[in-house]
Amino acid sequence: MISELKITDINSQKIIENLFPDNFIITSIKTDLENNPFTKYLIYSDYGKILAYLNYNLIYDRIEIVNINVMLEYRNKKIASKLLEFLILVSSEKQMKNITLEVDKTNYIAIGLYKKYGFKEIAVRKGYYQGIDGILMEKEMIE
């Protein structure tokens, strides 16, 4: 039962340690936050348990989505959609120019999700994912 869901914008190691002291994904998030000044995380949680996260890089006036990960038992519950909607809202409020991402061309579910939120295919990266093409997608925020 999911009871107290919230999305938290994580941008410091201290916040992550206080919110999620014993969670399995925390070590890699903390390492990323220590080593990448552009990295940010949206964490979707239920009473301190991470159900999903969206990792992105905020580079000046642009956002690059790195990864969206939803724990297996919580997939097909619109959690990735909620994270993406939140990121788009924040991007709009902060007047970001665009949001970009790369996706494996065989990941039809993810591609469908991104298209639903206005992302367009703008390029193909041949063999980007161990020989499988990657699709570069973009959502223009300011026109």
Side-chain angles (χ1 to χ4, degrees), residues 6 12 26 44 62 74 84 95 104 120 122:
K6 61 183 175 182
S12 86
I26 299 310
Y44 196 93
R62 301 175 191 280
Y74 295 99
L84 198 53
Q95 299 183 331
D104 177 324
K120 296 185 176 13
I122 59 170

Side-chain angles (χ1 to χ4, degrees), residues 18-31:
N18 290 337
L19 288 176
F20 310 102
D22 298 318
N23 209 287
F24 76 100
I25 198 73
I26 299 310
T27 303
S28 63
I29 292 175
K30 283 169 45 176
T31 301

Side-chain angles (χ1 to χ4, degrees), residues 14-15 34 37 47 54 74 79 107 119 122 130-131 135 142:
K14 189 86 172 143
I15 293 171
E34 288 171 4
Y47 286 109
L54 186 155
Y74 295 99
I79 293 173
N107 191 344
F119 286 81
I122 59 170
Q130 289 93 31
I135 299 172
I142 297 176

Side-chain angles (χ1 to χ4, degrees), residues 34-123:
E34 288 171 4
N35 296 313
N36 182 351
F38 301 107
T39 199
K40 307 282 184 199
Y41 285 84
L42 296 177
I43 304 292
Y44 196 93
S45 64
D46 180 29
Y47 286 109
K49 179 181 180 187
I50 294 177
L51 308 183
Y53 67 86
L54 186 155
N55 175 219
Y56 65 100
N57 290 322
L58 175 59
I59 304 173
Y60 308 110
D61 58 353
R62 301 175 191 280
I63 289 179
E64 297 175 358
I65 295 175
V66 176
N67 190 13
I68 300 176
N69 189 358
V70 179
M71 292 177 60
L72 283 173
E73 61 267 31
Y74 295 99
R75 292 187 181 168
N76 299 313
K77 297 184 186 309
K78 307 286 185 205
I79 293 173
S81 292
K82 290 176 185 173
L83 286 167
L84 198 53
E85 287 169 8
F86 187 84
L87 182 65
I88 291 168
L89 177 67
V90 169
S91 299
S92 179
E93 289 172 355
K94 292 184 178 187
Q95 299 183 331
M96 296 286 116
K97 287 187 177 177
N98 63 18
I99 303 172
T100 59
L101 60 92
E102 295 158 351
V103 61
D104 177 324
K105 78 171 188 176
T106 63
N107 191 344
Y108 306 113
I109 293 171
I111 293 168
L113 174 69
Y114 301 136
K115 285 184 176 181
K116 175 182 168 184
Y117 287 97
F119 286 81
K120 296 185 176 13
E121 297 179 20
I122 59 170

